[in-house]
């Protein structure tokens, strides 16, 4: 197969600055383009749309990208691997092969094999591009492989003789690569039925944690500014060259750049949204710009800077964030610019292109975002979407005014960032903005309650008796408390008659005051703050709070209660739980159990149900707390997923420190045999001969051996390496043991359950699920 240009030029392409993730993304773009063509054609595709990226390992230095696309003919393959070639419709594509293919493969390794087949073909056909063998005749070796099933279809790209630094990065950074690709392709993976796997793990789309469509703030108490603004601006259709890609000025019949007559009329549209993130962050804010579904810019902040047309280049003025800029920002967005050209690296748009400048003007306007600066410079008020968000959300004060959760005194920035991480982790309780919203309302309640207390303290509860006596004409030195009204007659003296003093009763706390006092110091219970009910009973929206230590929950009859419901408007109610009640502390009752009992009574009356109390509780739990079901398969999978993540982190640490030989030495003879057998069963025979010479064994050793490894090498895995708990800096042996036990105790439970989940009892499953949650909290952040 003849390719152009020469191998020397192909080698030079490998020197172009592409990060490792960009190289992989170029090879993912191609099958995604093919999948999109299949969807547009309406063709049924029963085999699904899957791209799998196999990363190099310590024993096998190969990167492979495999897809379930349509495959290619020999002629199309020959064009696809030719440097500089692109498809006929470059405006709808993420990449196609061509230049991006050659740059990424040459940058990754010295030899690339491409194999492709279509349904019904008798064999895989392909080409081998060996940069060390190709001469100036441009001839690349044709290759074939037999097919085990004639219905197979798709394409495989196998790159070996990898450059050492890039191979090492790919081997150690599988999780980081998945996260980056999950962000770059988040829109495509969310909107289309495509699956992308990297290193055997599915890539999950990294979605924006933004406030809901219906949230807003009031500017100056009257102007409603939404926290989400939809963008959809249809521009005038344009004419584009299908050969060179340039958009045309005027209505000529040939391309003004390359002279081609292959022109087409295409839509030009700016669409997407701008909004507000639910948490403040120093780096994770800004606008994502996409072309054909792939993110070209992520967390881009250039629209937050005003470029003064009369200023000097380099003196641009940042406008957001301004107040407390060191805390970061929260204005975000996702804007599609399919008609705007990008650089060949696909990491920037052509910023001088008029299409980009039009988009900037639409989104942020020409005037400064800051109204005072705009007025000072003689600009009219900026009414662009970004300026509107800036006006409404430029500050980060707690409360309803800026839509920031607080504790009644200050913003909860650290807590909201943690909730954002739970959102990205898929925690069901944090997928909507309800948790954030409730904390905004709670902040306002506490703040307003404090104002009421201050007002009440400034007004005496009892009248000033001395002032009253003087006003009535009584002697100022005479006690007025307990006096009766003096009798009046023509001869009677004006001297009042004294009676026995009457004590003033202490004012009794009202129910609403008592509940407000409970709530002011209570802690929200996130898991039990949700909708409860059943289709046949109706639903209640419940906010659950835990009383502070030392507080007793007293009902309307003066009795100590474990759970108390305070029904608000409509179907909303607040639940107060006393964690120190004997039902919980002495008898081990679950908060949810007693809460369901209370809710069942309300729903039974509302629905006029004939169900018994136990039937009601069982039905509500099954409907509203499905994620609490104790199932060996589910909990076992959760345990194994967490163990896989820990193994990956342990592997990275051992690779970095070179401690794999020491780690392997801590395994017992039985554990080494079990590790070898697991490698062979998994088809990783090549790793067996390298046992102890790299960290590959960690992925295959028994789970309980992982516990002993952490116990034997705590200095390697604590202090933020794998687990965040302190160790090296703890001075006392008992303190070190306690910090380590927090990890290994939970790890032992998880390892045991992950291995023997099938026969676990309900109590063991409860313990394991709690250990999973506690151990996940012990994991260190991203390194």
């Amino acid at each position: 197969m003849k390719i152009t240009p020469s191998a020397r030029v192909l080698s030079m392409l490998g020197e172009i600055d592409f990060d490792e993730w960009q190289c992989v993304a170029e090879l993912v773009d191609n099958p995604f383009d093919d999948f999109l063509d299949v969807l547009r054609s309406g063709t049924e595709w029963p085999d699904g749309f899957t791209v799998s990226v196999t990363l190099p390992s310590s024993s096998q230095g190969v990167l492979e990208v495999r897809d379930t696309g349509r495959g290619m003919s020999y002629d199309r393959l020959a064009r696809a691997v030719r440097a500089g070639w692109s498809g006929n419709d470059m405006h709808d594509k993420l990449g196609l092969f061509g230049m991006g293919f050659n740059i990424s493969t040459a940058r990754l390794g010295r030899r690339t094999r491409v194999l492709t087949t279509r349904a019904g073909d008798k064999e895989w056909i392909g080409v081998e591009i060996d940069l060390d063998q190709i001469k100036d005749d441009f001839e690349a070796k044709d290759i074939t492989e037999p097919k085990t099933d004639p219905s197979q279809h798709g394409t495989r790209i196998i790159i070996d003789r990898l450059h050492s630094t890039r191979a090492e990065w790919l081997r150690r950074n599988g999780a980081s690569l998945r996260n980056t690709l999950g962000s770059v392709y988040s829109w495509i993976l969310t909107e289309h039925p495509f699956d992308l796997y990297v290193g055997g793990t599915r890539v999950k789309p990294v979605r924006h944690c933004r406030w809901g469509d219906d949230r807003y703030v009031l500017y100056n108490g009257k102007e409603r500014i939404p926290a989400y603004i939809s963008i959809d601006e249809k521009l005038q259709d344009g004419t584009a060259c299908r050969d060179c890609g340039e958009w045309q000025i005027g209505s000529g019949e040939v391309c003004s750049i390359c002279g081609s007559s292959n022109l087409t009329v295409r839509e030009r549209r700016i669409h997407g949204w701008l909004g507000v993130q639910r948490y403040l962050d120093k780096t994770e804010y800004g606008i994502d710009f996409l072309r054909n579904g792939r993110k070209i810019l992520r967390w881009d902040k250039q629209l937050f800077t005003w470029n003064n047309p009369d200023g000097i280049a380099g003196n641009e003025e940042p406008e957001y964030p301004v107040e407390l800029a060191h805390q970061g920002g929260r204005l975000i967005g996702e804007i599609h610019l399919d008609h705007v050209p990008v650089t060949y690296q696909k990491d920037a748009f052509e910023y001088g292109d008029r299409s980009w400048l039009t988009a900037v003007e639409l989104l942020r306007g020409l005037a400064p975002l800051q109204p005072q600066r705009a007025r000072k410079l003689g600009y009219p008020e900026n009414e662009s979407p970004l300026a509107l968000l800036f006006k409404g959300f430029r500050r980060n004060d707690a409360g309803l005014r800026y839509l920031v959760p607080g504790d009644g005194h200050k913003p909860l920035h650290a807590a909201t960032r943690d909730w954002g991480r739970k959102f990205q982790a898929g925690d069901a309780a944090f997928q909507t903005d309800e948790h954030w919203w409730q904390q905004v309302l709670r902040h306002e309640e506490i703040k307003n309650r404090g104002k009421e207390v201050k007002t009440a303290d400034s007004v005496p509860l009892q009248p000033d008796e001395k002032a009253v006596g003087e006003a009535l004409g009584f002697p100022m030195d005479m006690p007025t408390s307990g006096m009766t009204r003096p009798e009046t007659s023509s001869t009677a003296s004006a001297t009042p008659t004294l009676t026995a003093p009457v004590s003033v009763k202490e004012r009794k706390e009202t129910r609403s005051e008592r509940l407000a006092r409970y709530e002011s110091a209570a802690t929200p219970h996130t898991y039990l703050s949700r909708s409860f009910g059943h289709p046949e009973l109706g639903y209640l929206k419940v906010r659950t709070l835990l009383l502070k230590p030392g507080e007793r929950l007293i009902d309307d009859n003066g009795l100590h209660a474990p759970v108390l419901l305070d029904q608000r408007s409509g179907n909303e109610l607040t639940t107060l739980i006393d964690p120190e009640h004997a039902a919980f502390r002495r008898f081990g009752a679950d908060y949810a159990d007693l809460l369901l009992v209370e809710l069942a009574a309300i729903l039974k009356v509302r629905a006029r149900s004939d169900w018994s109390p136990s039937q009601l509780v069982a039905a509500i739990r099954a409907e509203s707390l499905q994620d609490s079901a104790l199932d060996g398969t589910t909990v076992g999978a959760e345990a194994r997923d967490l163990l896989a993540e820990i193994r990956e982190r342990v592997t990275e640490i051992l690779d970095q420190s070179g401690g794999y030989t020491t780690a392997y030495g801590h395994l017992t003879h039985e554990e080494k045999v079990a590790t070898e057998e697991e490698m062979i069963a998994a088809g990783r025979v090549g790793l067996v001969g390298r046992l102890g010479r790299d960290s590959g064994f960690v992925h295959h050793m028994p789970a309980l051996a992982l516990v002993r490894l952490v116990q034997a090498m705590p200095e390697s895995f604590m202090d933020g390496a794998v687990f965040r708990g302190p160790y090296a800096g703890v001075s006392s042996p008992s303190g070190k043991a306690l910090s380590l036990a927090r990890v290994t105790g939970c790890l032992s439970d998880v390892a045991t359950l992950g291995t023997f989940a099938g026969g676990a009892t309900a109590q063991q499953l409860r313990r394991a699920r709690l250990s999973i949650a506690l151990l996940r909290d012990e994991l260190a952040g991203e390194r």
Side-chain angles (χ1 to χ4, degrees), residues 123-136:
E123 60 184 357
W124 292 82
I125 62 171
V127 60
E128 179 179 286
I129 304 172
D130 191 330
L131 300 182
D132 297 322
Q133 298 296 325
I134 293 178
K135 307 301 181 183
D136 287 339

Side-chain angles (χ1 to χ4, degrees), residues 263 565 644:
L263 305 180
L565 302 186

Side-chain angles (χ1 to χ4, degrees), residues 12 38 44 53 93 114 227 273-274 284 341 399 418 422 458 489 520 540 565 567 626 644 681 695 704:
M12 291 174 63
V38 173
E44 292 188 8
V53 180
K93 305 301 181 185
V114 181
W273 57 269
L274 296 176
E284 291 184 359
D418 182 60
K422 292 180 179 180
S458 66
S489 65
S520 65
L540 295 168
L565 302 186
Q567 193 153 356
Q626 296 180 9
S695 62
L704 289 171

Side-chain angles (χ1 to χ4, degrees), residues 669-692:
H669 174 71
E670 292 77 8
E671 290 168 344
K672 292 177 180 178
V673 171
T675 301
E676 291 181 359
E677 292 175 347
E678 173 62 24
M679 287 180 173
I680 295 171
R684 309 302 298 275
V685 180
L687 290 179
V688 174
R690 297 188 56 81
L691 281 170

Side-chain angles (χ1 to χ4, degrees), residues 152 274 314 344 376-377 421 429 516 538 562 626 638 655 675 723 749 756:
Q152 282 182 314
L274 296 176
Y344 70 89
K376 182 178 179 181
L377 295 173
R421 287 190 287 270
Q626 296 180 9
E638 293 174 3
D655 283 338
T675 301
F723 305 101
D749 286 345
F756 308 107

Side-chain angles (χ1 to χ4, degrees), residues 19 25 48 118 178 227 404 415 460 503 522 547 564 592 597 635 745 761 764 777:
D19 289 337
R118 299 170 298 178
R178 281 189 292 272
V404 175
S503 63
L547 262 63
L564 185 64
V597 170
V635 180
T761 64
Q764 289 169 332
D777 288 341

Side-chain angles (χ1 to χ4, degrees), residues 411-487:
L412 296 173
H413 294 319
T416 54
R417 280 191 290 271
D418 182 60
W419 301 343
R421 287 190 287 270
K422 292 180 179 180
F423 166 87
Q424 294 295 353
D427 191 321
F430 294 86
Q431 295 310 294
T432 71
D433 64 10
E434 186 63 24
H435 191 83
W436 283 261
W437 174 246
Q438 291 297 334
Q439 196 61 45
V440 172
L441 297 181
R442 175 175 169 77
H443 170 84
E444 295 290 348
E445 291 174 2
I446 297 173
K447 184 176 66 174
N448 292 336
R449 197 173 298 127
K451 291 180 180 178
E452 293 172 0
V453 170
K454 289 181 180 179
T455 301
D457 288 345
S458 66
V459 179
L461 291 177
Q462 299 296 333
D464 186 332
E465 297 183 15
K466 183 176 181 181
V468 172
E470 291 178 348
L472 293 176
F474 299 151
M476 290 170 44
D477 57 348
M478 190 172 292
T480 58
S481 177
M483 289 185 178
T484 61
R485 184 179 300 273
E487 296 181 3

Side-chain angles (χ1 to χ4, degrees), residues 137-175:
D137 59 5
F138 310 149
E139 290 289 339
K141 178 182 176 182
D142 290 352
I143 57 176
T144 61
E145 280 190 9
K147 288 175 68 171
T148 57
D149 183 353
S151 65
Q152 282 182 314
H153 52 83
T155 300
R156 295 158 54 199
I157 301 172
I158 306 104
I159 307 171
D160 60 5
R161 300 213 296 272
L162 300 176
H163 297 293
S164 59
T165 55
R166 284 179 272 284
E168 189 70 8
W169 189 95
L170 291 168
R171 188 165 66 87
R172 293 185 176 184
N173 292 278

